[in-house]
Amino acid sequence: MSEYLLEKENTVFERNMLFIPEGIKWGKSFDINRNTYSIDDLKENNIFLEGVSSYLGIDADDIDSIISETEARYNNNKIEFTKTIRQWLQGKKKPSQKQANRHNCYDFCIALGMDINEIFEFMFKYFQIMPFYYKNRTDAIYYYCILNNKNYDTIVKMRDIAKDFPATNDETVDTAYIGRKISEIDNDEEFIEYLKNYCYDDGHQFATARRNILELLDKCKGEDYANVKKDSELLMTITGYNNQTGIKGGRHDKGISKSLFPPEFTTSFPDDNVLCKIRNDKKVSDEALRKLLILLSFYYYYKSRENAIRQIQITPEIIKESYEEFEAECNGRLAECGYVQLYPRNLYDWHIFNCANSEYPIEALKSLIKQQYADILDEE
């Protein structure tokens, strides 16, 4: 195998990305001032369908042809074309980012005939999930089989064999190590034996994310940062939002879901309930963990930066430098935890990007959230 995956459509996938947390590279640096997306366009456009349209070479408006071609490819590869997939293509349902449903995403890529490079790109850009998270047994099986050109029947057989493997949850073994080991195996029996020793349940697959979040929570509550004692107080310091009462000093019956933010922003938005579950080691959705990780990274970085440059006049160059440094730091943390990096077509990420690209990012986020409430109250 080559050291680097091939460059496709201005996106470079470094081979080492499969093993170390450096984030996926776009080939060219993303400039938020030039490569802008209208928030209204992002709300209206179906990113998944755009990706399918581009890959198949069929106009995105010709839904019937896209469905017909996709179904034919599923049938040719002897993969069941389910109602769920049809609804994805019709725009009635969005592809799920939950761990339990990742096999549908892999099956879709395989059915369409994508190679490992194309799967890596499609998972990242259009499903917006981190491809090949090796601690998940499903991801490990697909990675091994795709890497070794196994047929789909082998994938089904291995998933059936592995479904009853007890979870080992060995937290001393990191994701990168597992990925390297899998890439060195080319024998099915050896792989199955290896998989027995490295299976993780949902709670332990993202143990690294939980640890990072707990560390960031404690750091952000420190004297040089929010200087508060409770997690809920920290959350309100960062966002100006109290999930129990809405905006501080505002209406008490308005939660974040009642704001003008799109559902992609409000769903699993960090709140007291999420923080409490993490503290008590209870199950939290992958999306909630990722969003909280981004939010805390954003606050910790810019509060540190604010303290460091308080006496310096802020210039466009300083804003750009800070923006790029935050992006790199946050992407590294996300990749380390098994999450896809910040992506400007993701509506939650896009709001964070825009706040980061301002003179006072923390205040910009508070102002943005407050405005989304003020507008809806004005409408009433």
Side-chain angles (χ1 to χ4, degrees):
M1 297 177 63
S2 62
E3 183 181 0
Y4 295 103
L5 294 175
L6 300 176
E7 179 172 333
K8 300 183 74 65
E9 298 180 6
N10 293 326
T11 303
V12 176
F13 301 115
E14 295 187 14
R15 188 67 196 167
N16 285 340
M17 173 51 209
L18 297 175
F19 308 128
I20 57 177
E22 288 189 350
I24 299 170
K25 308 302 180 186
W26 280 318
K28 292 193 249 183
S29 295
F30 174 78
D31 185 338
I32 198 169
N33 293 313
R34 291 187 294 107
N35 308 93
T36 55
Y37 301 99
S38 161
I39 191 65
D40 290 331
D41 288 345
L42 285 179
K43 283 194 224 178
E44 294 299 324
N45 291 354
N46 185 323
I47 295 173
F48 165 72
L49 191 57
E50 287 178 3
V52 179
S53 168
S54 175
Y55 184 79
L56 294 178
I58 301 175
D59 192 283
D61 292 328
D62 192 354
I63 301 298
D64 289 341
S65 295
I66 288 176
I67 292 174
S68 177
E69 177 63 22
T70 302
E71 186 171 9
R73 295 195 183 203
Y74 265 80
N75 292 334
N76 289 339
N77 284 287
K78 296 183 172 59
I79 302 175
E80 182 185 3
F81 184 75
T82 64
K83 180 181 178 181
T84 295
I85 307 304
R86 185 180 296 276
Q87 290 176 329
W88 284 1
L89 298 172
Q90 292 172 330
K92 294 179 179 179
K93 182 183 289 187
K94 291 190 176 182
S96 173
Q97 297 178 339
K98 294 180 179 178
Q99 283 292 117
N101 299 314
R102 286 168 71 93
H103 67 278
N104 284 331
C105 301
Y106 286 117
D107 286 352
F108 185 88
C109 293
I110 292 171
L112 264 61
M114 298 181 193
D115 60 28
I116 193 168
N117 306 284
E118 292 165 330
I119 291 173
F120 204 86
E121 179 174 12
F122 201 92
M123 294 281 280
F124 165 62
K125 283 186 173 180
Y126 304 112
F127 285 127
Q128 295 190 28
I129 56 178
M130 189 68 153
F132 306 122
Y133 185 70
Y134 316 110
K135 281 188 175 181
N136 179 279
R137 71 184 68 182
T138 298
D139 286 57
I141 290 169
Y142 276 96
Y143 178 63
Y144 167 79
C145 289
I146 293 168
L147 205 57
N148 290 283
N149 298 312
K150 303 291 181 179
N151 59 36
Y152 186 72
D153 287 342
T154 301
I155 294 175
V156 173
K157 185 189 299 181
M158 286 189 173
R159 284 182 58 199
D160 189 55
I161 291 171
K163 69 182 180 182
D164 295 322
F165 286 173
T168 55
N169 296 329
D170 183 357
E171 293 188 24
T172 64
V173 180
D174 64 24
T175 308
Y177 173 82
I178 295 173
R180 280 193 295 270
K181 291 300 293 184
I182 293 173
S183 70
E184 294 168 359
I185 300 172
D186 58 8
N187 177 275
D188 292 359
E189 288 74 22
E190 183 182 349
F191 172 69
I192 290 295
E193 188 62 32
Y194 183 82
L195 199 60
K196 287 180 182 178
N197 299 314
Y198 296 99
C199 281
Y200 295 76
D201 59 28
D202 290 344
H204 285 79
Q205 284 173 26
F206 294 104
T208 305
R210 287 173 176 270
R211 282 197 299 270
N212 267 267
I213 286 170
L214 290 174
E215 289 173 5
L216 282 169
L217 281 170
D218 291 338
K219 287 178 179 178
C220 290
K221 288 191 297 186
E223 185 176 343
D224 292 331
Y225 293 85
N227 195 22
V228 296
K229 294 185 180 300
K230 297 180 180 179
D231 291 339
S232 58
E233 293 174 332
L234 170 63
L235 192 60
M236 195 163 73
T237 298
I238 296 172
T239 64
Y241 165 78
N242 183 331
N243 72 286
Q244 300 298 328
T245 61
I247 288 294
K248 186 178 181 182
R251 289 271 296 275
H252 289 293
D253 57 345
K254 293 294 176 184
I256 192 76
S257 63
K258 299 299 183 182
S259 69
L260 291 179
F261 282 114
E264 289 84 353
F265 185 93
T266 60
T267 302
S268 299
F269 186 83
D271 59 21
D272 289 353
N273 185 45
V274 169
L275 294 172
C276 184
K277 285 182 176 179
I278 292 172
R279 286 289 187 193
N280 292 291
D281 201 26
K282 293 184 178 179
K283 187 173 182 179
V284 180
S285 73
D286 305 338
E287 186 177 4
L289 288 171
R290 181 181 182 274
K291 284 183 174 178
L292 181 56
L293 197 61
I294 292 170
L295 187 66
L296 292 174
S297 297
F298 172 83
Y299 178 76
Y300 182 69
Y301 174 81
Y302 279 105
K303 192 64 177 178
S304 301
R305 188 75 170 171
E306 179 184 293
N307 294 339
I309 64 173
R310 189 170 292 162
Q311 306 302 320
I312 301 175
Q313 182 179 358
I314 298 175
T315 64
E317 290 73 26
I318 288 177
I319 291 174
K320 185 174 187 292
E321 175 191 333
S322 299
Y323 173 92
E324 292 175 347
E325 197 171 272
F326 158 69
E327 181 186 7
E329 184 178 294
C330 189
N331 281 341
R333 187 174 283 124
L334 287 169
E336 179 186 8
C337 296
Y339 294 122
V340 69
Q341 74 178 69
L342 291 165
Y343 187 47
R345 300 297 298 278
N346 178 304
L347 282 165
Y348 180 82
D349 297 2
W350 179 236
H351 283 90
I352 297 294
F353 268 134
N354 274 278
C355 292
N357 190 45
S358 65
E359 191 170 353
Y360 301 105
I362 295 171
E363 293 306 314
L365 178 61
K366 289 181 183 178
S367 177
L368 176 67
I369 292 177
K370 185 176 182 178
Q371 186 61 46
Q372 295 297 73
Y373 280 98
D375 286 349
I376 200 167
L377 290 176
D378 288 345
E379 286 180 1
E380 296 176 353

